Amino acid sequence: MGWPPPPGQPDPGPAQSQPAAERWAWARWSSLGIAGLGALLGGLAGGLVVVGVTLVLKAGIDFASGQGTWFVLTVPPLGLLLAVLTLHGYGLLAGAPVQKKRARSWRTFPPPDAARADISADVVASAGEEERFPWRLAPIRTVAILATVGLGGAMGTEAPAAYLGVATGVCLGDRGRWWRRLLRPAALAGGAAGVAALMRIPLVGTLFMLELGRRRQAPVSAERVLAALVGGVIGWGIDAFFGLSLIRLVVPKEAPGTLAQAVVTALFIGAASGAISAAAGAAVFKAKKWQAAPAVRLVLGVTATIVIALALVRIAVPSAAVGPGGGAILWAEGVDAPPSSALAVCLLRAAATTAAVLAGGCGGVFVPFLAVGDLAGRVFAPGLRVGHDLAGAAGAAGGIAGGYRLPLTAVAMVLGYGGPPRATLTCLGTILTASAAAAAFDGLLSRAKKLGRRSAGRS
């Protein structure tokens, strides 16, 4: 984003005149004021829009979780089909003829024909230059989100929250010359408010948007931080005011008995959740970027979705196969799942999200990584003799740090949901271990790719 000092006005030094210093100070405070006003408007608008859509998604997920095997095997795949038809049937590629020119910008995706379902890519690509965000595509993508997530697909609600929050802020700022001054802070605050309302933790929304922006080297200026903070607080305030419960986070209730137990727990669960979620993240990235015809992707993804759902129903319950993973966690809690079953469901849930992405589903992977990490942590709960709630919370934090590569967001989440101090420290240690495990996985994957290219060159 960056709201720099006025052009030609460096930081005033002692040699500069007092009027020049006063003008610079006024410009600086004016820039912060604009950022605050834009964040206030964008946060309120974006947060309310996200809450409205998320309530519909949550109702759909809750309904799907209460259905039987027949629903699991038919409705989520039909949702993926509807999402693909919406994005690739009704949606157009730039340059395609359309009868009504006014409708072109609302359904035309720019070349090259990138993954139309990858809503996170637009948030990252426009970070710091939010005026480039294609907000007019939000309605058609909202339909795809409702079809994918609302009908029980194995994808999450956090990417839709960030995407719709940013889109609302950009739409608000794209009203004319004066409003454009508010566009960037409104967009950033809208995304932060959406994620904060979803997670019920203000700093999670703030850091989620800032860390995503750093992937594109967006500057962390005072104005940008202010907008993200204001948005996070507004999103949390909306959640608190309406008494919402849009997502369920596992809160550790029992702390490790000794320091040694805490260290071992952080090491084992961090390594497992970090490695598994990093592998899942690599698979999801590969599925997103695979250049194949939408029909081919859909057939393969839907077939894999049905096979994985059958396996999850056999090992666990039908609710473990729908939604971003909350049903799988409730199953693991309810039956005190043995380690082998918890590991199987963990891996199958990662595969289910990958299959949904491969098919062309439109949603997020942050919440599915929470579930994958949670289940990975529970694998070690009996052996480490720690509570399943602590193992699940630590694993969830590790899944975000290792799979989504958002360690600061994971830290904010751990500090936000609380628990005994030693349990909190254990979860923070898990984040460090998971980040190291993910880095090690990346190194091994890079080395394997180099060896593969060398072998291909020799042959």
Side-chain angles (χ1 to χ4, degrees):
M1 176 180 295
W3 289 272
Q9 293 286 343
D11 193 353
Q16 290 184 287
S17 65
Q18 185 64 24
E22 291 177 355
R23 286 196 299 271
W24 184 89
W26 169 255
R28 186 62 174 165
W29 283 109
S30 175
S31 179
L32 289 170
I34 291 172
L37 177 60
L40 179 63
L41 296 175
L44 284 171
L48 291 173
V49 168
V50 168
V51 164
V53 175
T54 305
L55 285 173
V56 176
L57 295 176
K58 186 176 183 295
I61 295 170
D62 290 344
F63 176 80
S65 298
Q67 304 307 305
T69 302
W70 69 270
F71 186 98
V72 171
L73 298 179
T74 56
V75 177
L78 286 175
L80 293 172
L81 172 62
L82 179 58
V84 172
L85 289 176
T86 300
L87 295 175
H88 294 272
Y90 183 74
L92 300 171
L93 183 64
V98 61
Q99 292 181 349
K100 297 181 179 180
K101 292 184 178 180
R102 290 185 61 185
R104 183 187 299 274
S105 61
W106 296 90
R107 53 188 290 210
T108 302
F109 291 84
D113 191 13
R116 301 185 185 184
D118 191 1
I119 52 181
S120 295
D122 280 351
V123 176
V124 174
S126 63
E129 297 177 339
E130 280 79 9
E131 62 274 7
R132 297 174 52 243
F133 188 90
W135 65 268
R136 289 180 177 82
L137 292 175
I140 189 174
R141 278 175 161 159
T142 300
V143 174
I145 291 167
L146 292 170
T148 301
V149 184
L151 293 180
M155 300 191 76
T157 52
E158 85 298 328
Y163 175 82
L164 293 174
V166 172
T168 303
V170 176
C171 175
L172 184 68
D174 195 17
R175 302 296 92 199
R177 183 175 180 180
W178 186 87
W179 285 89
R180 286 186 181 276
R181 303 174 67 190
L182 307 177
L183 188 151
R184 292 184 179 184
L188 181 58
V195 176
L198 174 69
M199 301 295 293
R200 306 185 70 179
I201 303 173
L203 275 181
V204 169
T206 297
L207 292 174
F208 182 89
M209 294 303 298
L210 291 177
E211 283 196 285
L212 279 186
R214 290 306 297 164
R215 293 181 179 180
R216 192 181 173 271
Q217 303 301 314
V220 185
S221 64
E223 291 86 352
R224 188 173 177 84
V225 171
L226 175 63
L229 284 171
V230 171
V233 172
I234 289 175
W236 169 80
I238 291 173
D239 180 278
F241 181 80
F242 290 103
L244 304 173
S245 182
L246 301 178
I247 191 171
R248 177 178 176 269
L249 294 174
V250 177
V251 179
K253 301 179 181 64
E254 182 182 349
T258 64
L259 176 61
Q261 188 182 30
V263 171
V264 172
T265 299
L267 290 175
F268 274 86
I269 294 181
S273 61
I276 292 174
S277 59
V284 166
F285 180 81
K286 193 74 173 178
K288 282 183 179 182
K289 300 303 179 183
W290 186 39
Q291 296 296 320
V296 174
R297 292 171 58 98
L298 178 65
V299 170
L300 293 177
V302 165
T303 302
T305 296
I306 295 173
V307 172
I308 294 166
L310 282 170
L312 284 168
V313 169
R314 184 176 181 82
I315 296 172
V317 291
S319 61
V322 299
I329 294 175
L330 288 175
W331 163 81
E333 290 179 339
V335 303
D336 195 12
S340 58
S341 297
L343 179 59
V345 173
C346 169
L347 297 176
L348 286 169
R349 285 297 317 180
T353 298
T354 304
V357 172
L358 176 64
C362 193
V365 297
F366 181 98
V367 178
F369 281 163
L370 277 176
V372 168
D374 182 295
L375 293 165
R378 293 174 190 273
V379 172
F380 295 93
L384 297 174
R385 297 182 180 179
V386 297
H388 282 268
D389 53 348
L390 173 59
I400 297 306
Y404 216 89
R405 304 301 199 277
L406 297 177
L408 295 180
T409 302
V411 169
M413 185 179 72
V414 168
L415 296 177
Y417 59 50
R422 280 183 295 177
T424 298
L425 291 175
T426 302
C427 292
L428 294 176
T430 303
I431 293 171
L432 292 176
T433 308
S435 298
F441 175 84
D442 289 344
L444 291 174
L445 186 61
S446 178
R447 185 175 299 178
K449 289 180 179 179
K450 289 181 181 179
L451 290 175
R453 287 194 293 265
R454 289 178 183 175
S455 300
R458 291 173 184 174
S459 62

